[in-house]
Amino acid sequence: MLELKRTLDAKGHGVLEMPSGTGKTISLLSLIVAYQRAFPLEVTKLIYCSRTVPEIEKVVEELRKLMEFYTKETGESNNFLALALSSRKNLCIHPEVSSLRFGKEVDGKCHSLTASYVRAQHHSNPNLPVCRFYEEFDSVGRQVPLPAGIYNLDDLKAFGRRKGWCPYYLARYSILHANIVVYSYHYLLDPKIADLVSKELAKKSVVVFDEAHNIDNVCIDSMSVNITRRTLDRCQTNVDTLQNTIHKIKETDAAKLREEYRRLVEGLKEANVARETDIYLANPVLPDEILQEAVPGSIRTAEHFVGFMRRFLEYLKSRLRVQHVVQESAPQFLKDIFEKVCIDRKPLRFCAERLQSLLRTLEIADIADFSAVTLISNFATLVSTYSQGFTIIIEPFEDRTPTIANPVLHFSCMDPSIAIKPVFQRFQSVVITSGTLSPLDIYPRILDFRPVTMASFTMTLARTCLCPLIVGRGNDQVALSSKFETREDFAVIRNYGNLLLEMSAIVPDGIVAFFTSYVYMENIVASWYEQGILENIQRNKLIFIETQDAAETSMALEKYQEACENGRGAILLSVARGKVSEGIDFVHHYGRAVIMFGVPYVYTQSRILKARLEYLRDQFQIRENDFLTFDAMRHAAQCVGRAIRGKTDYGLMIFADKRYARADKRGKLPRWIQEHINDGSLNLTVDEAVQLSKHFLRQMAQPFRQEDQLGLSLLTLEQLESEEMLQKITQIAHQT
Amino acid sequence: MTSLSEEVLLVVKKVRQKKQDGTLYLMAERIAWGPEGKDRFTVSHLYADIRCQKISPDGKAKVQLQLVLHTGESTTFHFANESTALKDREAAKELLQQLLPKFKKKANKELEEKNRMLQEDPVLFQLYKDLVVSQVISAEEFWANRSGGINNTDPSPYNNKQEVGISGAFLADIRPQTDGCNGLRYNLTADIIESIFRTYPAVKQKYSENVPHNLTEKEFWTRFFQSHYFHRDRINTGTQDIFSECAKQDEKGLKTLVTQGVKNPLVDLQSLEDKTLDEGYGICTTQPSTSNANKSVKDSSNSAIIKRFNHHSAMVLAAGSRRGELASDQASETSSTDGNSRDSDFFQPPVKKVKLQEAIEFEDLQRENRPKTVPLNLKKSDRYAHGPVPLQSQQYTTSQDIINSVNYIRHEMASYKPSLTQVLSSTAATSAIAALSPGGVLMQGGAQQAINQMVPTEVQGELKHLYVAAGELLRHFWSCFPVNTLFLEEKLTGHLEEMLQTAYSKFQVWQTRRMMRKT
């Protein structure tokens, strides 16, 4: 709180690491809300960004509690408006549209019902379907602001149903005057969405990125593009369709095209932007990079633009026909394209914008079909806008299958600071927080900002409820490691199996085991199966395994929880960096032990990664090894941290790799884990680990009551007000 | 005792029982044996009464078959036909093997039910011990009188019993052993078969389809173990395999499970991401699995193993919880599919709300605001409800009276002044205290000692048992009226009287013993 207050006062940025389950969210919320109430002119808005939909909803629920507490204590209801915003898929209440399964379909369908020209046609032809919820919202919804209160996604939907308004557009409209907005961080970081949604948010806002340990990857993902041959083929058909449509329109309604041309000449783009439903596709580059000029003449007419796209497409096709790997920078690419097909940089920059305008003019309802050509045009705009921080890699085949041609053009962003820079520049305070942000100093470096506060907090515990153990050897003294050289070693695999087997016999309820990669897990599972280890494990617990199919994994997860719930106990084999490790918590009995098999290094042979490492070294002076270790350790900590979600929770954390014992690895773990690793548990054998775990579990199984925590990790109101206790707290605070 | 209407399934001649030659008959409902030359059976057992059959080891000279009854008795048959003894025995055994389970279930159920009733009701158990074990009345009679109870009892307590789940490793328990000559031996027990059936209903269906019409049981299991179904890691190609259909069914089951989706939104990975990047954006490095073409055989076999483990665990879990919550589960399942198909919103929020609340609440932060209560622990609830009340002329005090007297006492206390000159002497005071403390003169006569404190508990217990037993007998006695059948009359005049006599004599014995103990 102290650090956070300092950050807010200084109107600067902060990085805070706090163990999960210690009230990170609520302390952030309560302080910022209090700040907002105290200085309503200093901080006008809180933008809280989280990672997944359940997390967003959790934040809103906690906020609701906070507000209820305010009303209870002050006796007056405050007029705070807080709401969650999510994609159309989670907010749509149109009976037909919301029954679609995929987000993209929902978006496309919604667009086909609400686009301005569709609605205009509806006036002349009432049979044409439109979304009645949007119509209702459009006619009356804007006059009356959303009444003050806390709106979760379901509340928004219920409100929308009651009024007959579209909750999605209502929410998007309401975030402009809401006091607190909770949404996914794509809405701020991905320029394609941020431009639509978050453009008009006030500058005097506090932005919180929760669970932000992966934020650099989100930034990079939002600016990178991959182009395969399939994309190009689909793009080809798209372009053909465009051409046909243009021909058709020319015969029937040439005036429309002329009108568009006139608009483009005058740069009258802005007139259209006002209609929110139309801007389905936004510019992929950051707002300050978009040129405020009229579209250049060479692509101004529709036919010329289609011809231009065709030329660009052919060029890309020829590039994909290479036989060897090519890596080049954006300027090199531009030079080459100019030499080969005489495409200039300037029209390329307008590509995305020009396509938007064309699609709108042609009144193409289902834009989802045109994703390929949109992708290409976005690529064109990106590659011509940024000369720094990007690289182009063309791979004719996958490394593992050199005989099968599968050319891919990766246009990858290497500098996460590009996407996040506008956020830091625009908003007065940005707080980055997570349970696992260690080592703290690397984040400001790779995101290129200067924080006023950086702090890592630990937990005050009434009992040591976490037990990190580093298992470095098997019972036969074979060193355990997922190192590439020993990866296929049977002795290692067998010892890993033994570890899991022994643990399954002593740990109650749920065990989660993480592997370094999916392929590695498949191999180990197969060889455990052959050696009969899995069958022995089955005697103790049921086994569930993460697959690459999300639906299947969800089912396995639910069954896993069911098995933990009914006392049978289960093991979940999962993958670090997988979806399970990122979004699912294993509270209490769902995860009494987490085993991390190996160090989850990223696949280092990938050319994209190599390019990024090189860039980091040149630009930020971060050594490759440092970054790789940092990346591996943050994922390991993330996996292991899934098990502890609070002070009453307890769990074993087993790091099964001897490399964890080294100081450079260990030092990169979060402080709240690090301080519980004692020197004795640095290089255990499986047997020793089992002994320690038994002891730990037996201790933890004792009843743990509120009284035990009082005065230590839990304070009553009286204790909080007593002078003595306050001194003690400040003392602890000073130590940290 | 012969009833010709019975269907005789198998006749084996030259079977000896108790050193007597005779013929063994296996009929639809019972097994019987008659000595040679006589047309009546001296041995006859209903299949339902038989617990199990045992056979002599192959190497032994005597080829025997033993039937063990539920009562514990056993009957041994010796197959004496030299040339075909073994074959005869096998035939009888095979037939019995098929017949017994059918009846076993029925018998078992009844037995289990009786057993359960006895275990759950200590009074009944004692009664059973008093009446049946000490042979006052026979077991049948005892249960006959109760049978109304058996059938009428609410099934709910029965459901409270926990089903025993299936071990996750039951397939692992069937360790194949090499038998020395290039073959494998699998040991199957009834439990394992039961487990397989419960976990894989598809196999059970196959079993009931094929055994015994197309295959013998042994063949069936042999094929099962040979099948690709069992060894799922090999890619199945054979279509002649009868289990390939099972595999398909399983796959379908898995798919429906997957498409059904998950009820807990917190674990639904598909809706976790708020905004998935469009195809083509992001650095999705490599997706080897998406292209099926370049997938090696090993890879797909590995993923088959993974799939199989997931499926297996799910099935085991489902089998464990299937019976207990069959009704409720089905109800929820149908509702969930309904909910999913139309508008999932109406169905989802409660689950979601609960889960969200669970996720954000910490138990240890909740204030315990209610005072701690001591749960009322009643050993014998009937005594609590209506205990013996001594007859008294009851005087009621109204609340007004109480209030008045309280006021009065308060008034007295307020205006109380000790008059220290008129106190008792110390000796008188101590003697008064002594007289008033427990054991003193005044405390003896006044307080009536409860009868249950005077009599030692074991005597009480015995008396109670005798009382209950006598009550039960009287119940039998009264249930015979009106006497409208011969059997009842016989029961009344004959052995009921006898029974009452026995009971009475038992009481007598107890009385004298008590007297003896007392003196």
Side-chain angles (χ1 to χ4, degrees), chain A residues 53 57 65 86 157 161 187 221 224 226 378 526 529 538-539 543 545 548 558 568 706 709 714, chain B residues 166 173 263 266 269 272 274-275 280-283 289 302 308 310 312-313 345 352 361 364-366:
Chain A
V53 179
E57 292 189 300
K65 281 229 155 127
S86 181
K157 277 203 232 179
R161 274 213 190 86
Y187 285 72
D221 272 347
S224 301
N226 296 308
N378 280 347
Y529 175 72
Q538 273 187 320
R539 270 178 229 278
I543 298 176
I545 305 169
Q548 279 168 330
E558 198 186 42
R568 196 181 247 286
Q706 202 176 22
Q709 291 197 57
L714 199 64
Chain B
I166 299 170
D173 288 333
K263 286 172 207 152
L266 293 192
L269 291 171
L272 213 57
D274 192 22
K275 197 264 163 186
Y281 297 100
I283 20 176
S289 67
N302 284 354
R308 180 183 167 203
N310 275 341
H312 174 79
S313 298
D345 293 341
K352 198 161 144 187
E361 260 167 26
D364 53 332
L365 295 181
Q366 239 65 17

Side-chain angles (χ1 to χ4, degrees), chain B residues 31-310:
Chain B
I31 183 168
W33 179 84
E36 208 154 346
K38 289 182 188 161
D39 61 344
R40 61 186 222 95
F41 301 136
T42 53
V43 177
S44 163
H45 297 304
L46 288 174
Y47 291 131
D49 291 339
I50 298 171
R51 183 191 288 163
C52 64
Q53 56 166 338
K54 293 176 177 172
I55 53 168
S56 56
D58 284 349
K60 254 193 162 177
K62 275 186 180 176
V63 182
Q64 288 180 322
L65 178 86
Q66 191 184 40
L67 299 176
V68 183
L69 305 185
H70 286 303
T71 52
E73 295 165 42
S74 65
T75 316
T76 312
F77 299 106
H78 176 199
F79 294 82
N81 195 347
E82 276 143 33
S83 52
T84 61
L86 211 60
K87 222 170 77 191
D88 287 348
R89 206 263 315 266
E90 286 302 309
K93 190 199 88 180
E94 286 281 330
L95 192 57
L96 271 178
Q97 218 167 33
Q98 287 172 21
L99 288 171
L100 283 183
K102 287 185 201 159
F103 292 93
K104 204 172 182 177
K105 258 179 222 153
K106 210 170 115 200
N108 270 353
K109 219 176 232 169
E110 250 176 63
L111 248 146
E112 253 171 42
E113 179 68 8
K114 285 174 183 171
N115 211 348
R116 185 189 62 79
M117 279 174 76
L118 287 181
Q119 268 172 6
E120 285 184 352
D121 191 349
V123 178
L124 193 71
F125 186 54
Q126 187 59 44
L127 202 61
Y128 187 83
K129 271 207 305 212
D130 285 344
L131 293 177
V132 180
V133 179
S134 59
Q135 295 185 328
V136 177
I137 55 173
S138 67
E140 281 99 81
E141 257 179 294
F142 181 81
W143 287 118
N145 215 311
R146 293 266 148 199
S147 65
I150 295 184
N151 297 335
N152 286 344
T153 40
D154 204 358
S156 62
Y158 182 60
N159 282 349
N160 284 344
K161 275 274 159 215
Q162 264 200 322
E163 254 325 295
V164 178
I166 299 170
S167 158
F170 67 83
L171 284 178
D173 288 333
I174 336 168
R175 287 271 143 149
Q177 293 160 332
T178 44
D179 59 357
C181 48
N182 235 348
L184 284 172
R185 238 177 102 102
Y186 288 93
N187 284 327
L188 266 180
T189 66
D191 277 346
I192 293 175
I193 293 178
E194 168 81 8
S195 299
I196 293 176
F197 283 166
R198 272 174 70 184
T199 326
Y200 297 111
V203 177
K204 187 174 186 181
Q205 202 192 334
K206 280 281 156 207
Y207 180 82
S208 49
E209 271 171 23
N210 288 318
V211 180
H213 320 295
N214 301 338
L215 304 163
T216 67
E217 198 169 353
K218 198 172 165 192
E219 274 172 3
F220 179 82
W221 290 115
T222 318
R223 288 221 195 161
F224 178 72
F225 288 122
Q226 285 168 348
S227 72
H228 298 288
Y229 186 62
F230 182 63
H231 302 281
R232 195 69 72 72
D233 51 330
R234 288 167 212 158
I235 309 304
N236 64 336
T237 41
T239 43
Q240 79 286 0
D241 192 349
I242 57 166
F243 293 104
S244 60
E245 202 177 309
C246 290
K248 266 179 219 147
Q249 264 181 33
D250 277 357
E251 205 117 294
K252 227 163 85 187
L254 195 65
K255 249 184 213 143
T256 50
L257 267 181
V258 167
T259 47
Q260 232 167 46
V262 288
K263 286 172 207 152
N264 180 357
L266 293 192
V267 297
D268 192 356
L269 291 171
Q270 281 175 307
S271 65
L272 213 57
E273 284 280 313
D274 192 22
K275 197 264 163 186
T276 45
L277 288 164
D278 278 342
E279 202 184 340
Y281 297 100
I283 20 176
C284 37
T285 39
T286 43
Q287 300 144 310
S289 67
T290 45
S291 47
N292 261 324
N294 57 7
K295 210 169 174 187
S296 68
V297 177
K298 197 179 159 221
D299 274 350
S300 66
S301 91
N302 284 354
S303 65
I305 292 175
I306 286 176
K307 245 191 194 149
R308 180 183 167 203
F309 269 104
N310 275 341

Side-chain angles (χ1 to χ4, degrees), chain A residues 711-729:
Chain A
L712 278 169
S713 56
L714 199 64
L715 301 175
T716 59
L717 191 61
E718 295 85 59
Q719 282 173 328
L720 196 64
E721 280 164 352
S722 80
E723 200 61 37
E724 189 189 345
M725 195 51 87
L726 284 178
Q727 267 174 8
K728 212 163 134 194
I729 293 171

